[in-house]
Amino acid sequence: MASHFRQESEEAPLVVERLFRENRGEVEGLAAFLRRRPPALVLTVARGSSDHAALFAKYLLEARLLWPTLSFAPSVLTLYRARPRLPHPALLLAFSQSGESPDVVEAVRAFREAGVLTVALVNREDSPLAQAAEVLLPLHAGEEKAVAASKSFLAMLAAFLQLLAHLLEEGRLREALPLLPEALFRALGVEGSLEYLEDAEGLFALGRGFAYPLALEAALKLKEVAALHAEGLSLAEFLHGPQALLEEGFPVLALVQKDEAFEGALSALEGLKAKGAHLLVLSAEPDALALAHSPLKVPLALPPELNPLLLAQAFYPLAEALARARGQDPDRPRHLSKVTRTR
Amino acid sequence: MASHFRQESEEAPLVVERLFRENRGEVEGLAAFLRRRPPALVLTVARGSSDHAALFAKYLLEARLLWPTLSFAPSVLTLYRARPRLPHPALLLAFSQSGESPDVVEAVRAFREAGVLTVALVNREDSPLAQAAEVLLPLHAGEEKAVAASKSFLAMLAAFLQLLAHLLEEGRLREALPLLPEALFRALGVEGSLEYLEDAEGLFALGRGFAYPLALEAALKLKEVAALHAEGLSLAEFLHGPQALLEEGFPVLALVQKDEAFEGALSALEGLKAKGAHLLVLSAEPDALALAHSPLKVPLALPPELNPLLLAQAFYPLAEALARARGQDPDRPRHLSKVTRTR
């Protein structure tokens, strides 16, 4: 029987299609407001997988809209009882599947009270987070039973991208958006396997730029479903220290896409290969796949803002197969429950 | 013969004393200016260990001064050619030992050109970074031969804290500052050992709040000098997923200090212990040490803003001994050189 994790990841294309349709009116209204009154600073608040979605949003907001974006650590508020003084107007984006994390909810309440426009991208529409935020962008992912998020994670990225597309002057991203559901469906037909990792003790998952948050997400998924100590790092940070761990055959999973980070990523990967790393490369690009010991071929590519979603979608079935090969139940990570409450 | 890493880490107390003396005039002037004209937003730019110092600065700036602080990813500028529009006035803090990282230098130049006040905390006073920034706070650490930073890392934290102390209205931190060099010296007399990790394949280093950046730093040091796959995480994030990797005896290194995060950290560690983790606890606090399978007793504690430096100082000799026990040369991490250039 297919795992919930597998089934739910395969629902993602339909979820994204529904989300684009259902949220369109709300997103157009929010985008029109924000274009008239652009924020001086954007804050993100999130935990776990959702924080990887928030980091993805940060890269795109800064690179494409030039809106500075700050990842807010809830402990500043919940433990140290400090609410930083923000420039006006400010925008807060909170990302969550369950909408139950007390520290995320508390941060949204506090900043809303301080006059910050608060937007929640959340799957559970009846959750405390959905109620705390001024604007709600529901993820429309339906119930997610697997502890390891898949469809809700992709829905977060998609919900954010729909907003971004309506915030950008140029229509390039707005025109590309409708291609996403079909492309996600095709990405499930990824070629290759993670069998090299069946007995691995550790791994680094690397990405640069827009693909970096997805490397963090792939690493977390490998921890959760396959009990593999995978650490996600930016390719640049990896070169600044952690590569000291490389020895002959040490596995490195690289997420590579064709954008401004592409050429640099290729030459960095050549360097890691020369140092003995076993390269697993998840990409649609022949030049990147040609470097791999284990190529993981994504069937197609989209523009760089949308493409990271294809990398995640292609990765889920690979992670599920690896989990089973390692004797793990992908639906039952040890010690975890669907909702984690931290303050 | 003692390694450079060990020798240089033992120089840190004297480095910090010299730094406090030499930088005092410049820091007082800068603090007076910033108090009259507080930034609407602070940016940090850094790589590797230096980025852990930058994260430490972010927590303290937000929690104690209420200045929102954004960690800037150089790739937004160097790869995607975007310079986010910052609220005015803005302040940029760049942290670096060598001052040579092209992406850090490029970010400082670009934001300085845009009217941002740029401050470099850098060890090499003749470096491109020192020349690019408007204000220079030298680290006075002298030459650092070991690839793994120790004295220069502590000097960064100390240089920042001296600035913070002069920015705060209340004199509490200013009065405590002179205690730091002597306390650092005493912290070298840490009791306990990391021998449990001699054959370990992986480890999580955890901290919360002000101690979290130090957990990242401890993990990086274990990678660099002891070739141990140690991953640093905030204790809260660890509960949100990575704890799925815990099995009987899995080592978890917790850095714990007495501040607003203390009680929560204790109960979280009890939970991890119940799940089979082997707890190594680096702390001066009896309640925290009592939870440990491997207590690592720091001889004394300072106020919570200064205490993280004692945790790092106490950790260096432990890491060095572990490196040797694992057959590694602490001065020669594989594949690394002192200066890493990324764009």
Side-chain angles (χ1 to χ4, degrees):
Chain A
M1 204 185 81
S3 63
H4 290 304
F5 176 68
R6 177 74 181 251
Q7 286 180 324
E8 288 166 359
S9 71
E10 290 176 354
E11 290 169 25
L14 287 174
V15 167
V16 170
E17 188 173 51
R18 179 164 61 225
L19 154 74
F20 283 164
R21 192 174 58 238
E22 298 284 333
N23 284 3
R24 182 164 183 160
E26 188 72 6
V27 162
E28 285 177 350
L30 177 60
F33 178 82
L34 288 170
R35 285 175 71 162
R36 280 196 310 274
R37 194 168 171 273
L41 180 64
V42 183
L43 258 66
T44 65
V45 188
R47 286 285 184 201
S49 268
S50 304
D51 200 37
H52 304 153
L55 183 61
F56 178 72
K58 171 176 158 74
Y59 271 94
L60 286 169
L61 289 169
E62 292 188 338
R64 297 299 193 231
L65 282 170
L66 311 186
W67 291 1
T69 303
L70 183 160
S71 167
F72 185 71
S75 61
V76 168
L77 199 133
T78 58
L79 297 179
Y80 297 107
R81 312 307 312 166
R83 193 173 67 199
R85 280 188 286 265
L86 305 184
H88 283 283
L91 169 67
L92 184 151
L93 302 177
F95 295 78
S96 176
Q97 196 288 123
S98 71
E100 301 258 4
S101 230
D103 45 6
V104 174
V105 175
E106 190 171 334
V108 168
R109 285 199 187 118
F111 284 112
R112 182 175 179 180
E113 193 186 280
V116 173
L117 175 60
T118 53
V119 178
L121 293 85
V122 59
N123 197 30
R124 290 276 307 279
E125 294 181 52
D126 57 349
S127 60
L129 179 62
Q131 285 154 19
E134 198 166 345
V135 179
L136 170 63
L137 295 181
L139 301 181
H140 299 286
E143 191 189 358
E144 193 172 53
K145 287 182 182 160
V147 170
S150 60
K151 60 179 180 175
S152 71
F153 175 73
L154 283 174
M156 273 176 207
L157 302 187
F160 166 75
L161 283 167
Q162 189 182 26
L163 178 61
L164 179 70
H166 285 88
L167 286 167
L168 288 166
E169 293 282 334
E170 39 148 2
R172 186 178 53 83
L173 191 54
R174 262 193 315 279
E175 284 155 28
L177 224 44
L179 305 174
L180 188 56
E182 166 76 11
L184 286 171
F185 180 74
R186 287 184 55 200
L188 288 164
V190 60
E191 290 167 34
S193 103
L194 301 178
E195 69 181 338
Y196 182 77
L197 304 176
E198 276 183 31
D199 301 309
E201 295 277 356
L203 166 143
F204 289 105
L206 307 179
R208 189 86 202 268
F210 300 164
Y212 162 49
L214 281 291
L216 296 179
E217 180 58 14
L220 181 56
K221 284 291 165 290
L222 290 177
K223 285 194 184 95
E224 288 178 338
V225 306
L228 171 60
H229 185 188
E231 180 174 4
L233 283 165
S234 104
L235 190 45
E237 283 297 339
F238 187 67
L239 301 178
H240 276 266
Q243 64 163 324
L245 281 175
L246 289 184
E247 54 189 5
E248 201 55 38
F250 197 99
V252 169
L253 169 68
L255 282 70
V256 183
Q257 67 176 26
K258 196 114 184 188
D259 67 11
E260 294 88 332
F262 186 59
E263 296 301 330
L266 290 191
S267 62
L269 291 181
E270 276 167 14
L272 298 182
K273 200 172 165 181
K275 286 163 188 157
H278 178 102
L279 284 190
L280 303 104
V281 176
L282 183 71
S283 183
E285 305 304 325
D287 292 353
L289 293 165
L291 287 175
H293 302 93
S294 301
L296 307 163
K297 188 182 175 203
V298 182
L300 73 171
L302 283 178
E305 298 86 352
L306 298 174
N307 199 63
L309 285 78
L310 302 189
L311 298 178
Q313 181 77 75
F315 188 68
Y316 294 138
L318 300 173
E320 211 252 5
L322 177 66
R324 294 191 182 275
R326 287 171 65 92
Q328 302 290 324
D329 179 344
D331 287 339
R332 296 191 205 288
R334 286 171 295 192
H335 314 309
L336 297 181
S337 58
K338 189 68 192 156
V339 179
T340 305
R341 292 185 170 79
T342 52
R343 280 196 79 250
Chain B
M1 201 185 82
S3 64
H4 290 304
F5 176 68
R6 177 73 181 252
Q7 285 180 323
E8 289 166 356
S9 71
E10 290 177 354
E11 291 169 24
L14 287 174
V15 167
V16 170
E17 188 173 51
R18 180 164 62 223
L19 155 74
F20 282 164
R21 192 174 58 238
E22 298 284 334
N23 285 3
R24 184 166 181 156
E26 187 72 4
V27 163
E28 284 177 351
L30 177 60
F33 177 81
L34 289 169
R35 284 175 72 162
R36 280 196 309 274
R37 192 167 172 276
L41 181 63
V42 183
L43 258 66
T44 65
V45 187
R47 286 285 184 201
S49 268
S50 304
D51 200 38
H52 305 153
L55 183 61
F56 178 72
K58 171 176 159 74
Y59 271 93
L60 286 169
L61 289 169
E62 292 188 338
R64 297 300 193 228
L65 280 170
L66 310 186
W67 291 1
T69 304
L70 184 161
S71 167
F72 184 71
S75 62
V76 168
L77 199 133
T78 58
L79 297 180
Y80 298 107
R81 313 305 314 164
R83 192 173 68 199
R85 281 188 285 264
L86 305 183
H88 284 282
L91 168 68
L92 183 152
L93 302 177
F95 296 78
S96 176
Q97 196 288 123
S98 70
E100 302 257 4
S101 230
D103 46 6
V104 173
V105 175
E106 189 170 335
V108 168
R109 284 197 188 120
F111 283 111
R112 183 175 178 180
E113 192 186 281
V116 173
L117 174 61
T118 52
V119 178
L121 293 85
V122 60
N123 197 31
R124 292 274 309 278
E125 293 181 52
D126 57 349
S127 61
L129 179 62
Q131 285 153 20
E134 198 166 347
V135 180
L136 171 64
L137 295 181
L139 301 180
H140 299 287
E143 191 188 359
E144 192 172 52
K145 288 182 182 159
V147 170
S150 59
K151 61 179 179 175
S152 71
F153 175 71
L154 283 174
M156 273 176 207
L157 302 188
F160 166 74
L161 283 167
Q162 188 182 26
L163 178 60
L164 179 71
H166 286 88
L167 285 168
L168 288 166
E169 293 281 334
E170 38 149 2
R172 186 178 52 83
L173 192 54
R174 266 194 311 281
E175 284 154 26
L177 224 43
L179 306 173
L180 188 56
E182 166 74 13
L184 285 171
F185 180 75
R186 287 186 54 200
L188 288 164
V190 59
E191 291 168 32
S193 103
L194 301 178
E195 68 181 337
Y196 183 77
L197 304 176
E198 277 183 29
D199 301 308
E201 296 276 357
L203 166 143
F204 288 105
L206 308 179
R208 189 87 201 269
F210 300 163
Y212 162 49
L214 281 291
L216 296 180
E217 180 59 13
L220 181 56
K221 285 290 166 289
L222 289 177
K223 285 194 184 96
E224 289 178 337
V225 306
L228 171 59
H229 186 189
E231 180 174 4
L233 284 165
S234 104
L235 190 45
E237 283 297 339
F238 187 68
L239 302 177
H240 276 264
Q243 63 162 322
L245 282 174
L246 288 183
E247 55 189 6
E248 201 55 39
F250 197 99
V252 170
L253 168 68
L255 282 69
V256 183
Q257 67 176 28
K258 196 112 185 192
D259 66 10
E260 294 88 331
F262 186 61
E263 295 301 329
L266 290 191
S267 62
L269 291 181
E270 275 168 14
L272 298 183
K273 201 172 165 181
K275 286 164 188 158
H278 178 101
L279 284 189
L280 303 104
V281 177
L282 182 71
S283 183
E285 304 303 326
D287 291 353
L289 293 165
L291 287 176
H293 301 94
S294 300
L296 307 163
K297 190 184 174 198
V298 182
L300 73 171
L302 283 179
E305 297 87 353
L306 299 174
N307 198 62
L309 285 78
L310 303 189
L311 298 177
Q313 182 78 75
F315 188 67
Y316 294 137
L318 300 173
E320 211 254 4
L322 177 66
R324 295 192 182 275
R326 287 171 66 92
Q328 301 291 325
D329 179 346
D331 286 339
R332 296 192 203 288
R334 285 171 295 192
H335 315 309
L336 297 183
S337 58
K338 189 67 192 158
V339 179
T340 304
R341 292 185 171 80
T342 54
R343 281 194 81 249

PDB file of all heavy atoms in Angstrom, chain A residues 302-326:
ATOM      1  N   LEU A 302      11.224  24.693 -15.701  1.00  0.00           N
ATOM      2  CA  LEU A 302      10.375  25.883 -15.816  1.00  0.00           C
ATOM      3  C   LEU A 302      11.258  27.107 -15.534  1.00  0.00           C
ATOM      4  O   LEU A 302      12.429  26.960 -15.194  1.00  0.00           O
ATOM      5  CB  LEU A 302       9.227  25.807 -14.796  1.00  0.00           C
ATOM      6  CG  LEU A 302       8.057  24.871 -15.115  1.00  0.00           C
ATOM      7  CD1 LEU A 302       7.040  24.890 -13.984  1.00  0.00           C
ATOM      8  CD2 LEU A 302       7.378  25.262 -16.433  1.00  0.00           C
ATOM      9  N   PRO A 303      10.728  28.324 -15.651  1.00  0.00           N
ATOM     10  CA  PRO A 303      11.522  29.505 -15.275  1.00  0.00           C
ATOM     11  C   PRO A 303      12.046  29.372 -13.834  1.00  0.00           C
ATOM     12  O   PRO A 303      11.440  28.668 -13.013  1.00  0.00           O
ATOM     13  CB  PRO A 303      10.516  30.649 -15.393  1.00  0.00           C
ATOM     14  CG  PRO A 303       9.491  30.172 -16.377  1.00  0.00           C
ATOM     15  CD  PRO A 303       9.400  28.702 -16.176  1.00  0.00           C
ATOM     16  N   PRO A 304      13.171  30.037 -13.528  1.00  0.00           N
ATOM     17  CA  PRO A 304      13.875  29.793 -12.259  1.00  0.00           C
ATOM     18  C   PRO A 304      13.059  30.053 -11.002  1.00  0.00           C
ATOM     19  O   PRO A 304      13.349  29.473  -9.954  1.00  0.00           O
ATOM     20  CB  PRO A 304      15.086  30.730 -12.330  1.00  0.00           C
ATOM     21  CG  PRO A 304      14.838  31.643 -13.481  1.00  0.00           C
ATOM     22  CD  PRO A 304      13.895  30.962 -14.397  1.00  0.00           C
ATOM     23  N   GLU A 305      12.035  30.894 -11.077  1.00  0.00           N
ATOM     24  CA  GLU A 305      11.221  31.146  -9.883  1.00  0.00           C
ATOM     25  C   GLU A 305      10.308  29.959  -9.587  1.00  0.00           C
ATOM     26  O   GLU A 305       9.937  29.718  -8.437  1.00  0.00           O
ATOM     27  CB  GLU A 305      10.353  32.401 -10.056  1.00  0.00           C
ATOM     28  CG  GLU A 305      11.130  33.702 -10.250  1.00  0.00           C
ATOM     29  CD  GLU A 305      11.486  33.942 -11.719  1.00  0.00           C
ATOM     30  OE1 GLU A 305      11.260  33.042 -12.560  1.00  0.00           O
ATOM     31  OE2 GLU A 305      12.016  35.032 -12.017  1.00  0.00           O
ATOM     32  N   LEU A 306       9.901  29.248 -10.639  1.00  0.00           N
ATOM     33  CA  LEU A 306       8.963  28.134 -10.470  1.00  0.00           C
ATOM     34  C   LEU A 306       9.680  26.791 -10.379  1.00  0.00           C
ATOM     35  O   LEU A 306       9.149  25.834  -9.804  1.00  0.00           O
ATOM     36  CB  LEU A 306       8.001  28.078 -11.671  1.00  0.00           C
ATOM     37  CG  LEU A 306       7.110  29.300 -11.882  1.00  0.00           C
ATOM     38  CD1 LEU A 306       6.327  29.156 -13.185  1.00  0.00           C
ATOM     39  CD2 LEU A 306       6.147  29.466 -10.708  1.00  0.00           C
ATOM     40  N   ASN A 307      10.850  26.724 -10.953  1.00  0.00           N
ATOM     41  CA  ASN A 307      11.532  25.450 -11.082  1.00  0.00           C
ATOM     42  C   ASN A 307      11.821  24.735  -9.752  1.00  0.00           C
ATOM     43  O   ASN A 307      11.755  23.512  -9.677  1.00  0.00           O
ATOM     44  CB  ASN A 307      12.824  25.638 -11.878  1.00  0.00           C
ATOM     45  CG  ASN A 307      13.332  24.343 -12.423  1.00  0.00           C
ATOM     46  OD1 ASN A 307      12.673  23.700 -13.240  1.00  0.00           O
ATOM     47  ND2 ASN A 307      14.486  23.915 -11.939  1.00  0.00           N
ATOM     48  N   PRO A 308      12.152  25.492  -8.689  1.00  0.00           N
ATOM     49  CA  PRO A 308      12.431  24.798  -7.423  1.00  0.00           C
ATOM     50  C   PRO A 308      11.285  23.876  -6.979  1.00  0.00           C
ATOM     51  O   PRO A 308      11.522  22.849  -6.340  1.00  0.00           O
ATOM     52  CB  PRO A 308      12.640  25.947  -6.433  1.00  0.00           C
ATOM     53  CG  PRO A 308      13.206  27.047  -7.289  1.00  0.00           C
ATOM     54  CD  PRO A 308      12.446  26.936  -8.584  1.00  0.00           C
ATOM     55  N   LEU A 309      10.061  24.217  -7.336  1.00  0.00           N
ATOM     56  CA  LEU A 309       8.934  23.340  -6.961  1.00  0.00           C
ATOM     57  C   LEU A 309       9.034  22.005  -7.688  1.00  0.00           C
ATOM     58  O   LEU A 309       8.663  20.962  -7.135  1.00  0.00           O
ATOM     59  CB  LEU A 309       7.591  23.999  -7.274  1.00  0.00           C
ATOM     60  CG  LEU A 309       7.155  25.114  -6.321  1.00  0.00           C
ATOM     61  CD1 LEU A 309       7.891  26.404  -6.627  1.00  0.00           C
ATOM     62  CD2 LEU A 309       5.653  25.320  -6.342  1.00  0.00           C
ATOM     63  N   LEU A 310       9.524  22.033  -8.920  1.00  0.00           N
ATOM     64  CA  LEU A 310       9.688  20.777  -9.652  1.00  0.00           C
ATOM     65  C   LEU A 310      10.762  19.908  -8.992  1.00  0.00           C
ATOM     66  O   LEU A 310      10.638  18.676  -8.946  1.00  0.00           O
ATOM     67  CB  LEU A 310      10.068  21.045 -11.110  1.00  0.00           C
ATOM     68  CG  LEU A 310       9.096  21.902 -11.920  1.00  0.00           C
ATOM     69  CD1 LEU A 310       9.514  21.891 -13.389  1.00  0.00           C
ATOM     70  CD2 LEU A 310       7.661  21.425 -11.770  1.00  0.00           C
ATOM     71  N   LEU A 311      11.810  20.551  -8.490  1.00  0.00           N
ATOM     72  CA  LEU A 311      12.869  19.785  -7.811  1.00  0.00           C
ATOM     73  C   LEU A 311      12.292  19.062  -6.590  1.00  0.00           C
ATOM     74  O   LEU A 311      12.571  17.886  -6.365  1.00  0.00           O
ATOM     75  CB  LEU A 311      14.016  20.712  -7.402  1.00  0.00           C
ATOM     76  CG  LEU A 311      14.754  21.422  -8.553  1.00  0.00           C
ATOM     77  CD1 LEU A 311      15.827  22.356  -7.993  1.00  0.00           C
ATOM     78  CD2 LEU A 311      15.380  20.417  -9.515  1.00  0.00           C
ATOM     79  N   ALA A 312      11.484  19.764  -5.814  1.00  0.00           N
ATOM     80  CA  ALA A 312      10.875  19.133  -4.635  1.00  0.00           C
ATOM     81  C   ALA A 312       9.930  18.012  -5.054  1.00  0.00           C
ATOM     82  O   ALA A 312       9.984  16.896  -4.519  1.00  0.00           O
ATOM     83  CB  ALA A 312      10.128  20.176  -3.801  1.00  0.00           C
ATOM     84  N   GLN A 313       9.083  18.313  -6.026  1.00  0.00           N
ATOM     85  CA  GLN A 313       8.102  17.314  -6.450  1.00  0.00           C
ATOM     86  C   GLN A 313       8.798  16.045  -6.968  1.00  0.00           C
ATOM     87  O   GLN A 313       8.376  14.926  -6.676  1.00  0.00           O
ATOM     88  CB  GLN A 313       7.214  17.905  -7.557  1.00  0.00           C
ATOM     89  CG  GLN A 313       6.135  16.966  -8.060  1.00  0.00           C
ATOM     90  CD  GLN A 313       4.955  16.867  -7.105  1.00  0.00           C
ATOM     91  OE1 GLN A 313       4.145  17.759  -7.018  1.00  0.00           O
ATOM     92  NE2 GLN A 313       4.870  15.760  -6.376  1.00  0.00           N
ATOM     93  N   ALA A 314       9.865  16.225  -7.730  1.00  0.00           N
ATOM     94  CA  ALA A 314      10.609  15.076  -8.260  1.00  0.00           C
ATOM     95  C   ALA A 314      11.298  14.296  -7.149  1.00  0.00           C
ATOM     96  O   ALA A 314      11.505  13.082  -7.256  1.00  0.00           O
ATOM     97  CB  ALA A 314      11.649  15.554  -9.272  1.00  0.00           C
ATOM     98  N   PHE A 315      11.638  15.003  -6.077  1.00  0.00           N
ATOM     99  CA  PHE A 315      12.413  14.371  -5.011  1.00  0.00           C
ATOM    100  C   PHE A 315      11.565  13.447  -4.135  1.00  0.00           C
ATOM    101  O   PHE A 315      12.066  12.445  -3.607  1.00  0.00           O
ATOM    102  CB  PHE A 315      13.063  15.457  -4.145  1.00  0.00           C
ATOM    103  CG  PHE A 315      14.025  14.916  -3.133  1.00  0.00           C
ATOM    104  CD1 PHE A 315      15.219  14.334  -3.535  1.00  0.00           C
ATOM    105  CD2 PHE A 315      13.733  14.974  -1.778  1.00  0.00           C
ATOM    106  CE1 PHE A 315      16.106  13.817  -2.604  1.00  0.00           C
ATOM    107  CE2 PHE A 315      14.617  14.468  -0.845  1.00  0.00           C
ATOM    108  CZ  PHE A 315      15.806  13.894  -1.257  1.00  0.00           C
ATOM    109  N   TYR A 316      10.282  13.763  -3.954  1.00  0.00           N
ATOM    110  CA  TYR A 316       9.456  12.999  -3.012  1.00  0.00           C
ATOM    111  C   TYR A 316       9.428  11.489  -3.300  1.00  0.00           C
ATOM    112  O   TYR A 316       9.647  10.691  -2.385  1.00  0.00           O
ATOM    113  CB  TYR A 316       8.032  13.564  -2.944  1.00  0.00           C
ATOM    114  CG  TYR A 316       7.945  14.957  -2.358  1.00  0.00           C
ATOM    115  CD1 TYR A 316       7.125  15.930  -2.915  1.00  0.00           C
ATOM    116  CD2 TYR A 316       8.672  15.309  -1.224  1.00  0.00           C
ATOM    117  CE1 TYR A 316       7.036  17.209  -2.381  1.00  0.00           C
ATOM    118  CE2 TYR A 316       8.587  16.582  -0.680  1.00  0.00           C
ATOM    119  CZ  TYR A 316       7.771  17.529  -1.264  1.00  0.00           C
ATOM    120  OH  TYR A 316       7.686  18.786  -0.726  1.00  0.00           O
ATOM    121  N   PRO A 317       9.138  11.074  -4.552  1.00  0.00           N
ATOM    122  CA  PRO A 317       9.122   9.616  -4.774  1.00  0.00           C
ATOM    123  C   PRO A 317      10.491   8.963  -4.536  1.00  0.00           C
ATOM    124  O   PRO A 317      10.559   7.813  -4.078  1.00  0.00           O
ATOM    125  CB  PRO A 317       8.690   9.471  -6.241  1.00  0.00           C
ATOM    126  CG  PRO A 317       8.714  10.827  -6.842  1.00  0.00           C
ATOM    127  CD  PRO A 317       8.692  11.821  -5.733  1.00  0.00           C
ATOM    128  N   LEU A 318      11.558   9.699  -4.831  1.00  0.00           N
ATOM    129  CA  LEU A 318      12.901   9.153  -4.578  1.00  0.00           C
ATOM    130  C   LEU A 318      13.119   8.956  -3.083  1.00  0.00           C
ATOM    131  O   LEU A 318      13.658   7.936  -2.645  1.00  0.00           O
ATOM    132  CB  LEU A 318      13.965  10.112  -5.135  1.00  0.00           C
ATOM    133  CG  LEU A 318      13.920  10.404  -6.635  1.00  0.00           C
ATOM    134  CD1 LEU A 318      14.925  11.499  -6.997  1.00  0.00           C
ATOM    135  CD2 LEU A 318      14.203   9.135  -7.441  1.00  0.00           C
ATOM    136  N   ALA A 319      12.691   9.938  -2.296  1.00  0.00           N
ATOM    137  CA  ALA A 319      12.862   9.852  -0.840  1.00  0.00           C
ATOM    138  C   ALA A 319      12.019   8.717  -0.268  1.00  0.00           C
ATOM    139  O   ALA A 319      12.453   7.996   0.649  1.00  0.00           O
ATOM    140  CB  ALA A 319      12.475  11.181  -0.188  1.00  0.00           C
ATOM    141  N   GLU A 320      10.846   8.541  -0.816  1.00  0.00           N
ATOM    142  CA  GLU A 320       9.968   7.478  -0.313  1.00  0.00           C
ATOM    143  C   GLU A 320      10.576   6.103  -0.581  1.00  0.00           C
ATOM    144  O   GLU A 320      10.599   5.240   0.293  1.00  0.00           O
ATOM    145  CB  GLU A 320       8.602   7.596  -1.000  1.00  0.00           C
ATOM    146  CG  GLU A 320       7.462   7.144  -0.146  1.00  0.00           C
ATOM    147  CD  GLU A 320       6.860   5.820  -0.579  1.00  0.00           C
ATOM    148  OE1 GLU A 320       7.406   5.196  -1.519  1.00  0.00           O
ATOM    149  OE2 GLU A 320       5.855   5.416   0.039  1.00  0.00           O
ATOM    150  N   ALA A 321      11.094   5.920  -1.789  1.00  0.00           N
ATOM    151  CA  ALA A 321      11.709   4.638  -2.124  1.00  0.00           C
ATOM    152  C   ALA A 321      12.927   4.380  -1.239  1.00  0.00           C
ATOM    153  O   ALA A 321      13.148   3.258  -0.766  1.00  0.00           O
ATOM    154  CB  ALA A 321      12.103   4.620  -3.601  1.00  0.00           C
ATOM    155  N   LEU A 322      13.695   5.417  -0.983  1.00  0.00           N
ATOM    156  CA  LEU A 322      14.864   5.248  -0.122  1.00  0.00           C
ATOM    157  C   LEU A 322      14.451   4.874   1.300  1.00  0.00           C
ATOM    158  O   LEU A 322      15.065   4.011   1.934  1.00  0.00           O
ATOM    159  CB  LEU A 322      15.702   6.533  -0.098  1.00  0.00           C
ATOM    160  CG  LEU A 322      16.917   6.474   0.830  1.00  0.00           C
ATOM    161  CD1 LEU A 322      17.945   5.455   0.336  1.00  0.00           C
ATOM    162  CD2 LEU A 322      17.569   7.841   0.996  1.00  0.00           C
ATOM    163  N   ALA A 323      13.414   5.534   1.796  1.00  0.00           N
ATOM    164  CA  ALA A 323      12.942   5.224   3.144  1.00  0.00           C
ATOM    165  C   ALA A 323      12.641   3.731   3.261  1.00  0.00           C
ATOM    166  O   ALA A 323      13.087   3.052   4.198  1.00  0.00           O
ATOM    167  CB  ALA A 323      11.689   6.039   3.460  1.00  0.00           C
ATOM    168  N   ARG A 324      11.924   3.193   2.289  1.00  0.00           N
ATOM    169  CA  ARG A 324      11.572   1.769   2.332  1.00  0.00           C
ATOM    170  C   ARG A 324      12.817   0.895   2.237  1.00  0.00           C
ATOM    171  O   ARG A 324      12.942  -0.104   2.946  1.00  0.00           O
ATOM    172  CB  ARG A 324      10.590   1.445   1.213  1.00  0.00           C
ATOM    173  CG  ARG A 324       9.244   2.162   1.420  1.00  0.00           C
ATOM    174  CD  ARG A 324       8.195   1.639   0.465  1.00  0.00           C
ATOM    175  NE  ARG A 324       6.933   2.340   0.626  1.00  0.00           N
ATOM    176  CZ  ARG A 324       6.001   2.024   1.537  1.00  0.00           C
ATOM    177  NH1 ARG A 324       6.202   1.035   2.384  1.00  0.00           N
ATOM    178  NH2 ARG A 324       4.873   2.709   1.595  1.00  0.00           N
ATOM    179  N   ALA A 325      13.749   1.285   1.360  1.00  0.00           N
ATOM    180  CA  ALA A 325      14.982   0.500   1.220  1.00  0.00           C
ATOM    181  C   ALA A 325      15.777   0.502   2.519  1.00  0.00           C
ATOM    182  O   ALA A 325      16.518  -0.442   2.801  1.00  0.00           O
ATOM    183  CB  ALA A 325      15.822   1.052   0.073  1.00  0.00           C
ATOM    184  N   ARG A 326      15.631   1.564   3.297  1.00  0.00           N
ATOM    185  CA  ARG A 326      16.345   1.640   4.575  1.00  0.00           C
ATOM    186  C   ARG A 326      15.517   1.060   5.722  1.00  0.00           C
ATOM    187  O   ARG A 326      15.879   1.192   6.896  1.00  0.00           O
ATOM    188  CB  ARG A 326      16.730   3.092   4.881  1.00  0.00           C
ATOM    189  CG  ARG A 326      17.875   3.604   3.993  1.00  0.00           C
ATOM    190  CD  ARG A 326      18.108   5.093   4.152  1.00  0.00           C
ATOM    191  NE  ARG A 326      18.574   5.504   5.471  1.00  0.00           N
ATOM    192  CZ  ARG A 326      19.852   5.626   5.832  1.00  0.00           C
ATOM    193  NH1 ARG A 326      20.809   5.367   4.954  1.00  0.00           N
ATOM    194  NH2 ARG A 326      20.181   6.019   7.042  1.00  0.00           N
TER     195      ARG A 326
END
